[in-house]
Amino acid sequence: MTLAQRIHHLAESQTIKMAKMGRELAAKGIDIINLSFGEPDFNTPEYIKNAAKQALDENYTFYTPVAGYPELRKAIAGKLKRENNLAYDFDQIVVSTGAKQALANAILCLVNPGDEVIIPTPYWVSYSEMVKLAEGVSVFIDTTVEQNFKITAAQLEAAITPKTKAFFFSSPCNPTGSVYSREELAELVKVFEKYPEIYIISDEIYEHINFGEKHESIAQFPSVKERVVVVNGFSKAYAMTGWRIGYLAANKEVAQACDKIQGQFTSATCSITQRAGIAACEGGLESVLKMKEAFLKRRNLVYELLKNIPGIKSNLPSGAFYFFPDVSAYFGKAHQGVVIKNALDLSLYLLNEAHVAIVSGEAFGDPKSIRISYAASEEKLKEALYRIKLALAKLT
Ligand code: PMP
Ligand code: GLU
């Protein structure tokens, strides 16, 4: 066998795979509506693009410090204080090539082979694979649409064992859009207070795409802050997915470890992107709020359209830009010889029959559901949901 074991055991990112399949069909001239990828369809705000142009003109084209320019790390520390009431020194911040790398850094720095990492399901596709790469063991806590996909303190406590090293979650959540309130986080914190050795990796990348109460970070609880790794980034809030910039804030030991590992893997993220990141941090939230309003309108639209499709069971997501409906009512049905056994079959059926790309729930740890991204125009969303409805109606 040529390739290492770890690559054989690693699953391909299903979000990326479905987006790729959608693009391939579109390249063949098929009118595909791509609701698979979690990517804002807006352009990056002008003031951020201008900062990047200026960075090039000013020759910010050399290697940067591994953890990012000090000015950027200070700007991020300022953001965390201003928007989240979290105090961090700039050297507790490590800027990476997307929040994805920040998450991978944290897992690789914290998890030993055999360590357990508790992950509530549904979870974002890459969490379990990152744990696998670190040779850790994912321990999943199942949730249901009825509980709005949020775990209880009792469920958390029941999942903890002497091997538990970390708890890994997102709020607002990709794929369910669920958001933990301050009270709900406080309940989880009470459990963590009993287990001071457990780290908490808190993925807050959808912080600003939150339609309910103000975003709360679990790091705001002083009794656990020291062992929370806050991960955030610019991809979603500022429509900067292609720029590849995200960051983490942690205690100094973890931050230095992440700096060390990143120094061996990528050196640092792009210098020009980092200058744009400073502008994003310091430019206020006007453009972010505008995009949030658009997402809210789309959420309400898709919710109404989904309600009219028989056999679809969905919560009303409070944040992010996804729906994660239970579609198990269609399992066992068929159309022209194509039998739908599971969510993967259904996602392929919708791609081929409705020409709408979505992602199967298996990749998120929930085989009963599919994920629909609504980061698309209202016109496209209406058309996509219409096509989905027609295709599902053909299943008998
Ligand atoms: N966390 C979650 C929950 C996500 O949906 C994503 C997707 N972009 C990321 C992290 C990674 O974001 P990026 O690497 O683009 O900053
Ligand atoms: N986070 C996005 C998603 O869930 C982008 C894809 C990815 O980074 O895997 O679709």
Side-chain angles (χ1 to χ4, degrees):
M1 194 191 293
T2 309
L3 299 177
Q5 295 285 356
R6 77 174 63 84
I7 200 71
H8 290 292
H9 295 149
L10 194 69
E12 183 180 354
S13 167
Q14 289 300 312
T15 47
I16 290 177
K17 185 176 170 187
M18 282 306 285
K20 194 167 116 198
M21 283 172 76
R23 276 191 207 120
E24 281 166 5
L25 288 176
K28 286 185 190 154
I30 300 172
D31 173 23
I32 295 287
I33 303 181
N34 203 337
L35 306 184
S36 63
F37 220 26
E39 160 158 89
D41 54 324
F42 303 107
N43 293 325
T44 305
E46 286 304 316
Y47 70 96
I48 300 177
K49 292 199 280 194
N50 288 339
K53 290 175 195 164
Q54 194 182 338
L56 261 180
D57 290 340
E58 292 174 0
N59 294 309
Y60 281 97
T61 53
F62 299 90
Y63 285 130
T64 77
V66 170
Y69 289 123
E71 305 91 292
L72 172 59
R73 294 158 78 199
K74 283 178 191 158
I76 291 169
K79 173 258 176 265
L80 289 169
K81 183 75 200 127
R82 197 170 57 243
E83 293 173 12
N84 310 105
N85 196 25
L86 292 174
Y88 287 102
D89 293 335
F90 89 98
D91 59 356
Q92 293 181 271
I93 314 285
V94 180
V95 180
S96 297
T97 308
K100 205 176 221 175
Q101 193 192 12
L103 293 169
N105 283 344
I107 288 290
L108 289 172
C109 287
L110 289 171
V111 176
N112 274 317
D115 281 352
E116 292 178 357
V117 178
I118 298 176
I119 304 177
T121 63
Y123 53 84
W124 183 46
V125 283
S126 298
Y127 292 177
S128 55
E129 301 312 303
M130 287 176 184
V131 171
K132 233 188 246 176
L133 278 178
E135 296 179 50
V137 179
S138 296
V139 173
F140 300 109
I141 302 179
D142 288 337
T143 65
T144 59
V145 63
E146 287 78 20
Q147 66 186 116
N148 204 3
F149 299 112
K150 289 190 267 190
I151 61 162
T152 61
Q155 281 182 299
L156 172 63
E157 188 145 26
I160 293 173
T161 77
K163 287 191 180 162
T164 306
K165 182 63 193 261
F167 174 74
F168 194 177
F169 80 124
S170 61
S171 177
C173 174
N174 176 2
T176 64
S178 297
V179 177
Y180 283 85
S181 67
R182 190 167 180 85
E183 293 68 36
E184 287 160 344
L185 290 174
E187 289 302 307
L188 302 185
V189 165
K190 276 190 214 153
V191 176
F192 288 121
E193 283 169 354
K194 292 193 229 168
Y195 302 91
E197 64 290 347
I198 298 178
Y199 266 84
I200 300 158
I201 300 171
S202 176
D203 181 347
E204 302 179 19
I205 190 144
Y206 293 96
E207 150 180 33
H208 286 301
I209 306 168
N210 178 4
F211 315 120
E213 295 163 31
K214 192 181 155 318
H215 171 75
E216 303 286 347
S217 170
I218 197 163
Q220 284 158 352
F221 293 84
S223 61
V224 294
K225 180 180 179 223
E226 197 46 27
R227 53 199 167 99
V228 176
V229 179
V230 175
V231 174
N232 207 327
F234 298 78
S235 286
K236 314 292 169 174
Y238 297 95
M240 290 178 73
T241 47
W243 297 71
R244 308 312 300 130
I245 179 167
Y247 56 88
L248 62 74
N251 69 40
K252 286 194 186 171
E253 188 186 8
V254 171
Q256 277 166 14
C258 290
D259 182 320
K260 185 172 168 186
I261 205 160
Q262 185 160 294
Q264 295 292 15
F265 274 173
T266 55
S267 299
T269 196
C270 166
S271 53
I272 299 155
T273 291
Q274 289 189 42
R275 299 300 302 175
I278 298 174
C281 277
E282 292 178 344
L285 291 175
E286 199 188 326
S287 55
V288 177
L289 293 175
K290 247 191 224 151
M291 289 190 255
K292 181 176 108 169
E293 286 314 308
F295 282 127
L296 176 59
K297 271 179 80 185
R298 294 166 180 187
R299 181 204 63 170
N300 293 343
L301 170 72
V302 174
Y303 188 58
E304 288 309 313
L305 295 173
L306 279 176
K307 270 204 246 167
N308 290 327
I309 304 181
I312 292 241
K313 203 159 68 177
S314 178
N315 65 333
L316 177 66
S318 311
F321 37 65
Y322 308 101
F323 275 83
F324 198 67
D326 183 320
V327 290
S328 55
Y330 288 96
F331 297 173
K333 298 194 174 189
H335 174 60
Q336 291 182 341
V338 179
V339 183
I340 308 300
K341 292 183 294 302
N342 49 41
L344 187 60
D345 289 346
L346 192 76
S347 63
L348 293 175
Y349 172 74
L350 290 177
L351 184 62
N352 294 319
E353 185 66 32
H355 296 159
V356 178
I358 46 97
V359 188
S360 158
E362 270 106 349
F364 303 90
D366 182 339
K368 295 193 298 302
S369 304
I370 55 171
R371 190 190 76 172
I372 301 171
S373 161
Y374 59 85
S377 68
E378 289 180 36
E379 193 192 346
K380 276 199 180 148
L381 290 169
K382 277 186 204 156
E383 171 66 18
L385 271 291
Y386 175 67
R387 291 190 198 175
I388 290 176
K389 189 176 176 178
L390 286 190
L392 291 178
K394 289 182 192 164
L395 291 170
T396 49

